[in-house]
Amino acid sequence: MLSQSDKEEFTMKQALEDIRVLDLSRVFAGPAGSMILGDLGADVIRVEAPGGTDSIRDWWPFVDNESTYYLSANRNKRAITLNLKKASGKKLFLDLVKNADVVIENFKTGTMERLGLAYSALEKVNPKIIMCSVTGYGQTGPFAKEPGFDPVLQAVGGLMDVTGQPDGEATRVGLPVVDIMSSLYTVISILSAIRIRDLTGEGQQIDISLLDVQVSSLANVASSYLMKGNVSKRVGNNHNNIVPYQVFQCKDKPLMVACGNDRQFQKFSEILGMPSWSKEAKFKTNAKRIQNREELTDKIQKIMVWKDANEWFTLLSEKGVPSGPVNNVKEVFEHPQVQSRKMVEEIPHPTLGKVKLVRNPVIFSKTPISIKKHPPLLGEHTELFLQQEMSLSKEDIDQLKEEGAI
């Protein structure tokens, strides 16, 4: 048991303060995962080749030559450059592995092996190392060496086929949701591996496939097919299994209404001034409402245009019926709840003065998360890191530069 003084000291720290992560990943899924680890206190060292290897730095829009896309996935990290194709660069990396806990990489399957940096090589240097590989299709299987990008995995993994209007084309979700979900699984798996290492003293390799993540996210669509043979079809903003659970156009803008049960539908009907609907045989139960979806939707829509979305929201909220206006991103950050929860942090940046970033959504009562480090510039900490962490002299560093290793 911890003493009271030990507890007080412990509450001043974050969960991963003694964990060092070497982050070789690029674009979003890997970097977003390592960013969360950094938020939780890990010392995340972002490793790129001299000249840069992360295409996300080139993605529009920019603020004074800094990509806002890059800024969204790289807070709470330091950054160094290493050329892993050079013998001296690879030696430096392996020296870093000796004192690291986690390596994250998302090169194409087989790249780490070609570099001589497969898990088996890292394990020889540090038996406790945890290596997490994040790829489009995983380390095994006939598609293992295919490149994997979020929209492609949305397509291959079935998400696009169930997204969009019934008479329209399959539609990509407007955010990189497969990358985002994969970043969360990356963190979950690494935390689990750290826990196992605490118990056994052994590290391990983790294989995260974006396709696996997307297939696992099919949820009720998957179970409906696997157990019933039902192939879900696009229903736009409607729900395959619940009615009304959809968007209605109001006087000014759309409103999402989610009547999750018959009781909520009864209240919804009363608010619309049509209490008889919840007593009619064709609308009384969800099963019947599904059968009569078009008729009910048309009746509801004719009434919803009478008021603004926020007027309806207020009325529905008072009766406990879930709803919410369809907001654009400007309206999201002006939302009183988002502002009350302080979802935006403004932090110093070496070239931009200050930048506004969305905070980590987790709130701890005793170990609060904050943005302590700005998203780093390419190789921003290389020289200082090599001097302080690797005890290299200026002459050593100059030699590495001349060799093209950093």
Side-chain angles (χ1 to χ4, degrees):
M1 294 290 289
L2 293 174
S3 67
Q4 184 60 37
S5 60
D6 287 338
K7 287 181 180 179
E8 290 174 359
E9 180 182 359
F10 183 77
T11 58
M12 299 298 290
K13 298 180 179 180
Q14 288 184 297
L16 303 183
E17 280 195 8
D18 60 343
I19 299 298
R20 171 167 287 184
V21 178
L22 303 180
D23 181 13
L24 299 175
S25 64
R26 302 155 296 160
V27 190
F28 199 88
S34 64
M35 178 178 70
I36 295 171
L37 296 173
D39 291 347
L40 296 173
D43 179 18
V44 179
I45 312 301
R46 181 174 170 81
V47 182
E48 290 185 72
T53 50
D54 195 347
S55 57
I56 198 175
R57 292 181 183 276
D58 302 323
W59 291 4
W60 180 91
F62 301 93
V63 179
D64 295 340
N65 298 318
E66 297 291 337
S67 165
T68 56
Y69 212 130
Y70 168 82
L71 294 173
S72 73
N74 287 287
R75 63 175 179 258
N76 284 333
K77 303 178 186 181
R78 294 188 284 172
I80 66 172
T81 55
L82 281 181
N83 189 340
L84 301 179
K85 296 179 180 179
K86 298 285 185 179
S88 51
K90 184 161 71 173
K91 180 182 181 302
L92 264 177
F93 181 73
L94 289 172
D95 286 342
L96 286 173
V97 170
K98 292 176 184 177
N99 296 309
D101 299 280
V102 179
V103 173
I104 301 176
E105 63 91 11
N106 67 346
F107 296 116
K108 285 179 65 175
T109 298
T111 300
M112 291 295 278
E113 286 78 0
R114 289 194 296 274
L115 291 170
L117 296 173
Y119 172 68
S120 57
L122 305 189
E123 187 182 25
K124 289 177 183 177
V125 173
N126 179 358
K128 294 186 176 182
I129 197 70
I130 294 163
M131 179 176 175
C132 183
S133 298
V134 184
T135 57
Y137 294 87
Q139 300 296 305
T140 60
F143 283 69
K145 294 189 177 181
E146 285 290 317
F149 284 81
D150 181 277
V152 175
L153 276 307
Q154 288 194 36
V156 175
L159 179 57
M160 283 180 61
D161 187 59
V162 297
T163 306
Q165 295 301 319
D167 56 350
E169 65 179 6
T171 303
R172 177 183 69 86
V173 177
L175 292 169
V177 290
V178 183
D179 279 345
I180 293 169
M181 290 187 294
S182 297
S183 73
L184 299 177
Y185 275 104
T186 295
V187 173
I188 293 167
S189 65
I190 288 171
L191 294 179
S192 298
I194 290 173
R195 174 61 174 154
I196 292 170
R197 190 191 63 180
D198 290 343
L199 297 173
T200 67
E202 296 181 349
Q204 61 182 301
Q205 185 174 16
I206 302 167
D207 177 4
I208 298 288
S209 155
L210 270 66
L211 179 60
D212 292 354
V213 169
Q214 172 49 44
V215 172
S216 74
S217 77
L218 288 174
N220 60 297
V221 170
S223 62
S224 179
Y225 167 71
L226 293 172
M227 289 179 257
K228 192 72 175 175
N230 181 49
V231 178
S232 295
K233 300 298 182 182
R234 290 188 292 280
V235 290
N237 290 316
N238 299 333
H239 194 290
N240 275 297
N241 311 112
I242 311 171
V243 176
Y245 204 98
Q246 63 206 80
V247 168
F248 294 100
Q249 181 61 48
C250 301
K251 187 176 181 179
D252 60 337
K253 61 189 293 187
L255 180 81
M256 171 59 78
V257 177
C259 291
N261 55 52
D262 295 337
R263 179 180 53 81
Q264 289 177 344
F265 175 69
Q266 179 184 346
K267 291 183 178 181
F268 182 43
S269 301
E270 292 170 357
I271 292 166
L272 294 180
M274 302 299 295
S276 62
W277 285 355
S278 63
K279 298 178 177 63
E280 292 183 36
K282 59 184 176 181
F283 299 146
K284 188 174 183 179
T285 66
N286 182 63
K288 289 295 185 180
R289 291 195 294 275
I290 291 174
Q291 293 176 14
N292 298 282
R293 179 196 298 269
E294 291 186 12
E295 180 184 353
L296 179 60
T297 297
D298 183 62
K299 289 176 176 291
I300 295 171
Q301 182 57 75
K302 288 177 179 177
I303 297 174
M304 296 298 288
V305 293
W306 296 349
K307 300 180 187 295
D308 289 345
N310 279 318
E311 291 181 80
W312 283 121
F313 166 74
T314 300
L315 293 171
L316 293 169
S317 176
E318 289 173 352
K319 297 296 184 179
V321 179
S323 74
V326 178
N327 291 328
N328 62 33
V329 69
K330 179 176 182 291
E331 292 165 332
V332 169
F333 287 105
E334 291 174 349
H335 194 286
Q337 183 68 8
V338 174
Q339 293 185 347
S340 174
R341 300 285 290 180
K342 296 181 172 58
M343 282 302 299
V344 177
E345 284 190 48
E346 188 172 55
I347 61 168
H349 188 276
T351 63
L352 302 179
K354 289 185 177 181
V355 292
K356 291 181 179 180
L357 300 175
V358 178
R359 70 163 175 83
N360 187 297
V362 178
I363 297 178
F364 290 110
S365 64
K366 295 183 179 179
T367 54
I369 292 174
S370 64
I371 303 177
K372 297 177 180 177
K373 300 184 183 76
H374 62 268
L377 307 177
L378 175 64
E380 179 179 345
H381 306 99
T382 303
E383 292 194 30
L384 188 61
F385 181 86
L386 294 177
Q387 289 173 352
Q388 294 181 347
E389 305 283 347
M390 308 297 290
S391 300
L392 297 185
S393 66
K394 186 180 184 303
E395 290 74 21
D396 294 331
I397 294 172
D398 289 341
Q399 178 65 33
L400 289 169
K401 287 181 180 178
E402 189 174 329
E403 294 172 1
I406 62 173

Short mmCIF file of all heavy atoms in Angstrom, two decimals, residues 8 15 30 46 70 76 123 127 162 205 224-225 274 294 313-314 350 352 362 389 392 397 402:
data_model
loop_
_atom_site.label_atom_id
_atom_site.label_comp_id
_atom_site.label_asym_id
_atom_site.label_seq_id
_atom_site.Cartn_x
_atom_site.Cartn_y
_atom_site.Cartn_z
N GLU A 8 0.38 11.36 -2.57
CA GLU A 8 0.39 12.77 -2.97
C GLU A 8 1.42 13.00 -4.06
O GLU A 8 1.18 13.73 -5.02
CB GLU A 8 0.67 13.65 -1.76
CG GLU A 8 -0.49 13.69 -0.77
CD GLU A 8 -0.14 14.45 0.50
OE1 GLU A 8 1.01 14.92 0.61
OE2 GLU A 8 -1.01 14.57 1.38
N ALA A 15 0.42 8.88 -15.94
CA ALA A 15 0.52 7.42 -15.95
C ALA A 15 1.76 6.89 -16.66
O ALA A 15 2.34 5.88 -16.25
CB ALA A 15 -0.73 6.83 -16.59
N GLY A 30 -0.66 6.10 -36.86
CA GLY A 30 0.44 5.93 -35.91
C GLY A 30 0.73 7.18 -35.11
O GLY A 30 0.77 7.13 -33.87
N ARG A 46 9.84 11.52 -31.83
CA ARG A 46 9.44 11.37 -33.24
C ARG A 46 10.70 11.29 -34.09
O ARG A 46 11.53 12.20 -34.08
CB ARG A 46 8.57 12.55 -33.64
CG ARG A 46 8.07 12.50 -35.07
CD ARG A 46 7.10 13.65 -35.32
NE ARG A 46 6.80 13.76 -36.74
CZ ARG A 46 5.92 13.00 -37.37
NH1 ARG A 46 5.24 12.09 -36.71
NH2 ARG A 46 5.70 13.16 -38.67
N TYR A 70 -0.80 18.27 -39.96
CA TYR A 70 0.32 17.76 -39.15
C TYR A 70 0.17 18.18 -37.70
O TYR A 70 0.36 17.38 -36.77
CB TYR A 70 1.64 18.26 -39.72
CG TYR A 70 2.82 18.03 -38.79
CD1 TYR A 70 3.45 16.79 -38.75
CD2 TYR A 70 3.26 19.04 -37.95
CE1 TYR A 70 4.51 16.56 -37.88
CE2 TYR A 70 4.32 18.82 -37.08
CZ TYR A 70 4.94 17.58 -37.06
OH TYR A 70 5.99 17.36 -36.18
N ASN A 76 2.85 17.09 -27.92
CA ASN A 76 3.49 16.34 -26.83
C ASN A 76 4.53 15.33 -27.31
O ASN A 76 4.57 14.19 -26.86
CB ASN A 76 2.42 15.66 -25.95
CG ASN A 76 1.72 16.65 -25.03
OD1 ASN A 76 2.30 17.68 -24.66
ND2 ASN A 76 0.50 16.36 -24.65
N GLU A 123 14.56 -6.95 -30.36
CA GLU A 123 14.46 -7.78 -29.17
C GLU A 123 15.84 -8.22 -28.67
O GLU A 123 16.05 -8.37 -27.46
CB GLU A 123 13.59 -8.99 -29.48
CG GLU A 123 13.25 -9.86 -28.29
CD GLU A 123 12.42 -11.06 -28.67
OE1 GLU A 123 12.50 -11.49 -29.84
OE2 GLU A 123 11.70 -11.58 -27.81
N PRO A 127 15.26 -7.01 -24.75
CA PRO A 127 14.21 -8.04 -24.65
C PRO A 127 12.87 -7.52 -24.15
O PRO A 127 11.84 -8.17 -24.34
CB PRO A 127 14.80 -9.05 -23.67
CG PRO A 127 16.27 -8.81 -23.68
CD PRO A 127 16.44 -7.35 -23.93
N VAL A 162 -22.23 1.16 -46.73
CA VAL A 162 -23.42 1.41 -45.90
C VAL A 162 -23.56 2.90 -45.57
O VAL A 162 -24.39 3.27 -44.73
CB VAL A 162 -23.37 0.58 -44.59
CG1 VAL A 162 -23.40 -0.90 -44.90
CG2 VAL A 162 -22.14 0.93 -43.74
N GLN A 205 5.68 -8.11 -30.00
CA GLN A 205 5.33 -7.36 -31.20
C GLN A 205 3.82 -7.29 -31.33
O GLN A 205 3.10 -8.26 -31.06
CB GLN A 205 5.91 -8.02 -32.45
CG GLN A 205 5.66 -7.21 -33.72
CD GLN A 205 6.35 -7.80 -34.94
OE1 GLN A 205 6.78 -8.95 -34.92
NE2 GLN A 205 6.46 -7.01 -35.99
N SER A 224 -25.49 -8.68 -38.08
CA SER A 224 -26.71 -8.90 -38.85
C SER A 224 -26.43 -9.82 -40.03
O SER A 224 -27.26 -10.67 -40.38
CB SER A 224 -27.27 -7.56 -39.34
OG SER A 224 -28.43 -7.74 -40.10
N TYR A 225 -25.26 -9.66 -40.64
CA TYR A 225 -24.90 -10.54 -41.75
C TYR A 225 -24.48 -11.92 -41.25
O TYR A 225 -24.95 -12.94 -41.78
CB TYR A 225 -23.77 -9.92 -42.57
CG TYR A 225 -23.16 -10.93 -43.52
CD1 TYR A 225 -23.87 -11.36 -44.64
CD2 TYR A 225 -21.91 -11.49 -43.27
CE1 TYR A 225 -23.34 -12.32 -45.49
CE2 TYR A 225 -21.38 -12.45 -44.11
CZ TYR A 225 -22.09 -12.85 -45.23
OH TYR A 225 -21.57 -13.82 -46.05
N MET A 274 -49.06 15.49 -32.30
CA MET A 274 -49.73 14.33 -32.89
C MET A 274 -49.66 13.14 -31.93
O MET A 274 -49.10 12.07 -32.25
CB MET A 274 -49.08 13.97 -34.23
CG MET A 274 -49.10 15.10 -35.25
SD MET A 274 -50.79 15.62 -35.70
CE MET A 274 -51.38 14.14 -36.48
N GLU A 294 -41.58 5.15 -44.60
CA GLU A 294 -41.76 6.25 -45.54
C GLU A 294 -42.96 7.12 -45.17
O GLU A 294 -42.88 8.36 -45.21
CB GLU A 294 -41.91 5.71 -46.96
CG GLU A 294 -40.62 5.11 -47.51
CD GLU A 294 -40.75 4.71 -48.96
OE1 GLU A 294 -41.75 5.12 -49.61
OE2 GLU A 294 -39.86 4.00 -49.47
N PHE A 313 -35.04 21.46 -30.69
CA PHE A 313 -34.13 20.85 -29.72
C PHE A 313 -34.55 21.18 -28.29
O PHE A 313 -34.56 20.31 -27.41
CB PHE A 313 -32.69 21.33 -29.96
CG PHE A 313 -31.77 21.01 -28.80
CD1 PHE A 313 -31.33 19.71 -28.58
CD2 PHE A 313 -31.37 22.01 -27.92
CE1 PHE A 313 -30.50 19.41 -27.50
CE2 PHE A 313 -30.55 21.72 -26.84
CZ PHE A 313 -30.10 20.42 -26.63
N THR A 314 -34.91 22.43 -28.04
CA THR A 314 -35.32 22.84 -26.70
C THR A 314 -36.56 22.07 -26.25
O THR A 314 -36.62 21.57 -25.12
CB THR A 314 -35.59 24.36 -26.67
OG1 THR A 314 -34.39 25.06 -27.02
CG2 THR A 314 -36.03 24.80 -25.28
N PRO A 350 7.14 27.67 -31.96
CA PRO A 350 8.37 28.41 -32.31
C PRO A 350 8.30 29.26 -33.56
O PRO A 350 9.03 30.24 -33.68
CB PRO A 350 9.41 27.28 -32.47
CG PRO A 350 8.63 26.04 -32.70
CD PRO A 350 7.35 26.22 -31.94
N LEU A 352 4.99 29.95 -35.23
CA LEU A 352 3.65 30.52 -35.39
C LEU A 352 3.23 31.41 -34.23
O LEU A 352 2.14 31.96 -34.25
CB LEU A 352 2.63 29.39 -35.57
CG LEU A 352 2.87 28.44 -36.74
CD1 LEU A 352 1.79 27.36 -36.78
CD2 LEU A 352 2.90 29.21 -38.05
N VAL A 362 -9.94 13.12 -22.46
CA VAL A 362 -9.98 12.42 -21.17
C VAL A 362 -9.72 13.42 -20.04
O VAL A 362 -8.78 14.22 -20.11
CB VAL A 362 -8.94 11.29 -21.11
CG1 VAL A 362 -8.97 10.61 -19.75
CG2 VAL A 362 -9.22 10.26 -22.21
N GLU A 389 21.04 13.15 -24.32
CA GLU A 389 20.57 11.78 -24.13
C GLU A 389 21.58 10.72 -24.56
O GLU A 389 21.63 9.63 -24.00
CB GLU A 389 19.26 11.55 -24.89
CG GLU A 389 18.15 12.53 -24.56
CD GLU A 389 17.47 12.22 -23.25
OE1 GLU A 389 17.68 11.13 -22.70
OE2 GLU A 389 16.70 13.09 -22.77
N LEU A 392 26.75 12.66 -27.03
CA LEU A 392 27.60 12.88 -28.19
C LEU A 392 28.17 14.29 -28.16
O LEU A 392 27.51 15.23 -27.72
CB LEU A 392 26.81 12.68 -29.48
CG LEU A 392 26.24 11.27 -29.74
CD1 LEU A 392 25.59 11.22 -31.12
CD2 LEU A 392 27.31 10.21 -29.63
N ILE A 397 28.45 14.91 -33.64
CA ILE A 397 27.23 15.31 -34.34
C ILE A 397 27.56 15.85 -35.73
O ILE A 397 26.88 15.52 -36.71
CB ILE A 397 26.46 16.36 -33.50
CG1 ILE A 397 25.95 15.70 -32.21
CG2 ILE A 397 25.31 16.95 -34.30
CD1 ILE A 397 25.35 16.67 -31.22
N GLU A 402 27.73 15.00 -41.66
CA GLU A 402 28.52 14.83 -42.89
C GLU A 402 28.22 13.48 -43.55
O GLU A 402 28.19 13.38 -44.78
CB GLU A 402 30.02 14.91 -42.54
CG GLU A 402 30.92 14.96 -43.76
CD GLU A 402 32.39 15.18 -43.39
OE1 GLU A 402 32.64 15.86 -42.37
OE2 GLU A 402 33.25 14.67 -44.10
#
